[in-house]
Amino acid sequence: MSFAAKASKRLAYDNVVACAPISIAYERYSIESAHWWIGRALHALITKAGLAPLDLDGLSVSSFTLGLDTAVGLTQHLGVSPRWLDHVPMGGASGIIALRRAARAVQCGDAELVACVAGDTNQVDTFRKTLQGFSRFAQDAVYPYGAGGPNASFALITQHYMDRYQATRADFGRICVAQRDNAMQFGQALLRKPLTLQAYLDARAVADPIHLFDCVMPCAGAEAFLVCREQTACALGLPSVRLLATIERHNAFADDPVQYRGGWAKDADELWAMSGVTPGDIDLLETYDDYPVISMMQFEDLGFCQKGEAPAFVRAHDLTVAGDFPHNTSGGQLSVGQAGAAGGYLGLVEAMRQLTGQAIGAQVHNAKTAVVSGFGMINYDRGLASAAAVLAAV
Amino acid sequence: MSVPVSPPPRRNPVARTGMPALLSAQRSRATHGLTAAAAQGLFCLQVCSDCGTRQYPPREACSHCLSAKLPFRDVDRAGVVVVDTTIRIAGEIYFRERTPWRIGTVQLDCGPIVIAHLHGDVSQGSRIRMELLTDKAGAPAMFAMPAVNTPAMQDDRQYREFTCDPKFRRVLVTDGRTEIGQALVRALSDAGARKVFVGIANPWKPFAGKQSLARAENVECVQLDVTDTASVVECAAQIGARVDILVNTTEHIRLGGLMDQTGIGIAREALELRSLGLMRLAQSFGPIMRARGADGVDSACAFVNLLAAHALMNWPSYGASSAAEAAALSMSQCLRSELRHGGIRVVNMFVGPLETEWYQNAPPPKVSPATLARAVVQALCSGQEDCFVGEVARDLRARLAANPKALERELGAA
């Protein structure tokens, strides 16, 4: 008997909103610590919301580079005193998972004002050290095999996907080029030099078939937002977004020899059913894009196209802000940079800005509904965490 | 097909010597179950005692039924490469100096998915035979070999990183007076060693086989007495930078325990030769070898000790000798840790009684010097670090693993 299959209908996130999206401009390398970056984001958040640090009664933190500290230590470091505290070490799924937990806390009255923040530093040797000790399986069974890091893991996943679904490098290139177009209007993107499909194809090989522009640039940065009741956001004068539905899944399809689908494929039906909208209603999509192949899997597994049809989908659609399928409207991590766990917040914070008319770069016209998707933690041979949320303008 | 490895070019004296850059050898304790198998050339994975699931990477609980009973057992090595990649940009110095480097995702027939180093003759879709090797840092490594042997497969560039193949390397056999030493000279020459230096103590003393050693091609006798510090220092000064593999063939086996010997003279001789001799070799040759661990096709790669298997458990019939062998074993473990920083492997050959004069009173089965010599070459070529040669040595290993106390009593009763 499967208890999961018999689960009752999920409760809606009544009256809970997310607001005050914050992005601290990224830096390629930083001499500051993760604490500093998280501090900048929280400071910007309370300034934007007109709050004092002690007004925050909930805090959710995601970071890879806090060293000895957890979220608990951060409360003293930053002078906050939350009655609800969360630490979400889930990489690219951190933003959505922080959001859905915080939303339930607010809905149930465990907290009133939850600040969700993700930040990481990138000192010159940070990235290599993070890779080496990323997980026990990475230490024991992946990193010593060529030390290619996620580039090598995704090379295997990408090559397998190409063989299975006849995807070409140019198909992946369309995603990267469109995102660079979007990034050119997003002042905080680290990579804003125009990128042509030819330049994408001609870039140097990193781990076949991954080439330079398939990879994200590790950097330092922080992102944050606030979760509270709709009336609270109104009282603070903060434009906000509602949470129509969320999903989360870990270690799905463990028997697939190579990853070609993520946990979204298990839970997408529930996501759409809970949200009350359909893929056709979505005005913009923010996927987790640490390599373009994983964005393609999100197109498919979330139901924007059939399995294996993402290559045709990207050929048939214009993925830029002004196009018919706006995707990763700030430029995504591929152009903005990957600031560690903040990469798991990037799309979420960007969708909040788009839905509330506060875009830093180009604004998607009349954006009412968005899907944000997260993916994280290459523990051994594949990403284990997947999450997605449907957001709507209030 | 593998490109046969080329002889190393003459060294350019002003060019930089490749520096050994190692990977981290830090592994979880469970993963050292693989280290233990790799050291002996076995292929083992965790096999759940409750449900039979074979799993990799090693875990603390069965990923199928959560059982904690997860012994490492021999499993089928066969599998298929599902997908491969060539890494061109790597994060670690070791690989940066060795890119392009090929790895792949392998589905083993027995179940698990393994990220493995790939032999040059395998690619996506290839049937493979998985080997468990140790890398330069001594950590276990999965290496996918062609299921069917291919020409010159030993010469594969990536495979050679995990082996100590004598081909084109220069070897020092520390004692050429004995049958074992001479068998090793022949076996290593046959295995493609470019040069074999043979240590001879007190060369004015005649010994059997001297003529044939002198006539052999690529063999050079050098003066070396491992009981004499000055001699070892002098020898290392002359040839140390040209020793890629050192095989310590000194032997000192004498019948008798402790009480039935008169005085400690013979035991002292044994310790002097076997354990302090090893230490002298380590002090004089070790630092040069350690610095040359990444010095091209003929980089330094192995320090081989021939040890009586009774180093592992005293055999009172040869009690004092067993103790000297145990001391040498203990030193070799220390040396292994010290040489690892240069990517130099310490290979210990545990040998049962040999067909030599000093084992006259030992009952058969015994190991012939030629068999031992072949086993050394085999261990070098396959990357093993602990090798049990002969039926007695293998029997001892099994009994030691099963019940050390029983073995002590049994050897004591013999």
Side-chain angles (χ1 to χ4, degrees):
Chain A
M1 185 171 93
S2 167
F3 292 97
K6 286 169 66 91
S8 54
K9 188 167 172 291
R10 285 171 53 191
L11 213 60
Y13 295 100
D14 290 333
N15 200 26
V16 180
V17 296
C19 54
I22 300 293
S23 294
I24 304 299
Y26 291 1
E27 289 174 12
R28 174 71 172 105
Y29 290 109
S30 170
I31 61 167
E32 308 294 352
S33 68
H35 304 67
W36 185 90
W37 284 94
I38 288 170
R40 291 312 87 221
L42 270 188
H43 184 260
L45 182 77
I46 59 167
T47 304
K48 183 168 184 142
L51 297 167
L54 288 171
D55 294 332
L56 299 171
D57 66 347
L59 177 66
S60 178
V61 178
S62 295
S63 179
F64 289 111
T65 53
L66 277 172
L68 302 176
D69 282 347
T70 67
V72 179
L74 264 192
T75 61
Q76 190 172 39
H77 198 113
L78 300 171
V80 293
S81 181
R83 57 178 175 142
W84 183 95
L85 180 65
D86 203 359
H87 189 183
V88 182
M90 301 198 198
S94 295
I96 293 159
I97 291 171
L99 170 65
R100 73 198 298 260
R101 290 182 181 180
R104 291 304 188 198
V106 168
Q107 185 177 11
C108 299
D110 292 350
E112 286 297 321
L113 288 162
V114 180
C116 297
V117 61
D120 269 298
T121 188
N122 188 43
Q123 296 163 357
V124 288
D125 209 21
T126 299
F127 187 65
R128 193 181 64 83
K129 287 177 179 157
T130 302
L131 292 186
Q132 189 171 9
F134 189 76
S135 68
R136 170 158 149 179
F137 286 176
Q139 169 201 283
D140 287 353
V142 186
Y143 194 67
Y145 293 78
N151 293 331
S153 299
F154 272 96
L156 295 167
I157 290 169
T158 302
Q159 185 62 54
H160 181 72
Y161 183 92
M162 290 171 81
D163 296 339
R164 190 177 182 108
Y165 297 123
Q166 289 78 53
T168 65
R169 283 195 59 219
D171 296 331
F172 298 122
R174 279 182 219 309
I175 291 174
C176 302
V177 168
Q179 288 188 201
R180 184 59 61 84
D181 267 16
N182 294 342
M184 283 161 63
Q185 301 180 63
F186 187 82
Q188 300 191 358
L190 288 182
L191 300 169
R192 274 178 291 152
K193 196 173 146 194
L195 177 67
T196 64
L197 189 58
Q198 197 56 50
Y200 167 89
L201 292 170
D202 292 344
R204 75 174 163 150
V206 173
D208 307 351
I210 298 287
H211 290 62
L212 184 64
F213 294 113
D214 295 307
C215 307
V216 294
M217 181 187 275
C219 62
E223 310 268 349
F225 59 86
L226 191 65
V227 178
C228 60
R229 293 177 190 283
E230 192 173 341
Q231 307 89 292
T232 313
C234 279
L236 294 170
L238 296 169
S240 62
V241 301
R242 283 185 297 127
L243 194 51
L244 300 186
T246 66
I247 52 170
E248 168 182 347
R249 177 71 64 173
H250 305 277
N251 195 29
F253 308 116
D255 293 333
D256 290 346
V258 180
Q259 183 163 46
Y260 67 94
R261 52 186 172 168
W264 313 284
K266 266 200 152 49
D267 304 302
D269 289 348
E270 180 183 308
L271 180 76
W272 294 116
M274 185 179 177
S275 72
V277 299
T278 67
D281 300 325
I282 299 304
D283 300 312
L284 63 122
L285 171 65
E286 305 286 344
T287 65
Y288 191 79
D289 62 328
D290 54 356
Y291 295 84
V293 69
I294 203 67
S295 290
M296 282 201 188
M297 285 187 209
Q298 287 160 86
F299 295 163
E300 296 165 353
D301 297 346
L302 288 167
F304 291 97
C305 62
Q306 293 296 307
K307 192 70 209 169
E309 289 182 0
F313 185 84
V314 302
R315 282 176 229 141
H317 291 280
D318 177 349
L319 306 179
T320 61
V321 172
D324 61 335
F325 191 81
H327 171 242
N328 290 357
T329 47
S330 63
Q333 297 181 83
L334 284 166
S335 287
V336 181
Q338 180 177 57
Y345 270 55
L346 182 75
L348 179 53
V349 169
E350 168 66 8
M352 290 168 61
R353 280 192 295 258
Q354 289 287 349
L355 293 176
T356 53
Q358 307 177 76
I360 294 173
Q363 174 72 47
V364 175
H365 180 63
N366 204 20
K368 297 287 184 212
T369 316
V371 166
V372 183
S373 173
F375 174 74
M377 310 306 280
I378 310 292
N379 187 59
Y380 172 44
D381 59 339
R382 66 195 66 201
L384 295 186
S386 63
V390 184
L391 307 177
V394 168
Chain B
M1 192 180 111
S2 306
V3 179
V5 64
S6 303
R10 277 189 82 82
R11 279 188 166 65
N12 175 351
V14 294
R16 153 195 101 107
T17 300
M19 297 279 284
L22 291 196
L23 295 166
S24 166
Q26 190 178 336
R27 295 292 185 277
S28 63
R29 194 149 209 280
T31 294
H32 283 310
L34 301 175
T35 311
Q40 297 187 33
L42 304 175
F43 186 73
C44 296
L45 295 179
Q46 280 181 325
V47 179
C48 177
S49 298
D50 286 342
C51 75
T53 297
R54 287 142 174 79
Q55 67 178 3
Y56 179 87
R59 295 165 163 89
E60 310 297 333
C62 172
S63 61
H64 183 69
C65 75
L66 287 176
S67 170
K69 289 176 239 159
L70 298 166
F72 284 83
R73 299 270 182 253
D74 288 335
V75 296
D76 185 7
R77 301 161 174 258
V80 64
V81 179
V82 183
V83 60
D84 66 77
T85 184
T86 303
I87 296 169
R88 298 176 189 283
I89 297 174
E92 290 291 323
I93 307 281
Y94 175 84
F95 285 113
R96 288 179 86 87
E97 295 189 341
R98 288 161 180 81
T99 49
W101 189 270
R102 295 180 63 246
I103 64 165
T105 304
V106 173
Q107 169 105 59
L108 291 177
D109 294 354
C110 68
I113 299 292
V114 176
I115 303 293
H117 304 289
L118 298 187
H119 187 278
D121 290 340
V122 306
S123 56
Q124 194 172 327
S126 299
R127 294 288 306 169
I128 63 96
R129 185 182 80 243
M130 193 67 85
E131 287 195 7
L132 194 45
L133 305 171
T134 46
D135 69 15
K136 293 271 189 207
M142 292 285 184
F143 197 103
M145 297 289 278
V148 178
N149 288 355
T150 57
M153 67 191 295
Q154 279 287 128
D155 285 0
D156 177 67
R157 183 178 66 88
Q158 290 190 193
Y159 190 62
R160 264 180 82 97
E161 282 296 310
F162 296 88
T163 66
C164 304
D165 199 320
K167 188 169 176 183
F168 298 134
R169 285 197 161 102
R170 297 155 300 180
V171 187
L172 169 62
V173 173
T174 60
D175 183 0
R177 285 181 171 275
T178 63
E179 281 182 71
I180 291 165
Q182 290 167 22
L184 268 155
V185 172
R186 282 190 295 275
L188 289 160
S189 289
D190 292 349
R194 194 162 103 240
K195 177 103 180 178
V196 182
F197 298 105
V198 188
I200 306 290
N202 306 318
W204 51 270
K205 285 188 193 165
F207 61 95
K210 186 173 183 179
Q211 296 309 321
S212 62
L213 268 189
R215 278 198 305 271
E217 215 177 327
N218 302 325
V219 173
E220 182 181 331
C221 292
V222 294
Q223 196 166 337
L224 176 62
D225 177 356
V226 304
T227 64
D228 174 1
T229 302
S231 162
V232 179
V233 168
E234 172 62 21
C235 182
Q238 294 295 329
I239 66 164
R242 290 177 285 156
V243 173
D244 309 322
I245 297 173
L246 188 154
V247 185
N248 186 10
T249 55
T250 59
E251 46 173 342
H252 195 286
I253 297 295
R254 299 293 183 270
L255 194 61
L258 308 186
M259 286 164 55
D260 53 6
Q261 294 193 29
T262 305
I264 58 166
I266 292 174
R268 175 175 278 159
E269 245 177 45
L271 287 162
E272 186 67 51
L273 184 77
R274 298 292 289 138
S275 62
L276 299 179
L278 194 158
M279 188 165 171
R280 290 188 190 93
L281 290 168
Q283 288 182 350
S284 291
F285 288 90
I288 319 177
M289 292 181 76
R290 186 171 59 188
R292 288 192 52 250
D295 193 15
V297 165
D298 55 352
S299 63
C301 64
F303 191 115
V304 184
N305 298 301
L306 308 187
L307 298 168
H310 294 95
L312 295 164
M313 180 64 76
N314 194 288
W315 185 15
S317 303
Y318 291 80
S321 290
S322 294
E325 296 299 302
L329 169 60
S330 185
M331 291 224 180
S332 78
Q333 289 162 343
C334 177
L335 181 62
R336 183 171 278 156
S337 153
E338 292 173 334
L339 281 177
R340 186 169 295 146
H341 303 288
I344 309 297
R345 180 165 302 157
V346 171
V347 181
N348 281 344
M349 307 294 297
F350 296 98
V351 193
L354 288 148
E355 294 280 10
T356 57
E357 54 181 335
W358 292 106
Y359 274 117
Q360 186 196 344
N361 287 40
K366 299 198 215 181
V367 177
S368 76
T371 301
L372 171 56
R374 274 197 306 275
V376 169
V377 170
Q378 173 62 24
L380 291 169
C381 289
S382 63
Q384 270 176 261
E385 75 172 38
D386 286 327
C387 197
F388 294 79
V389 189
E391 296 308 327
V392 171
R394 283 192 287 270
D395 173 78
L396 209 70
R397 170 181 63 179
R399 287 155 75 194
L400 187 65
N403 187 343
K405 186 53 81 176
L407 180 61
E408 181 196 294
R409 289 289 191 278
E410 288 159 1
L411 288 174

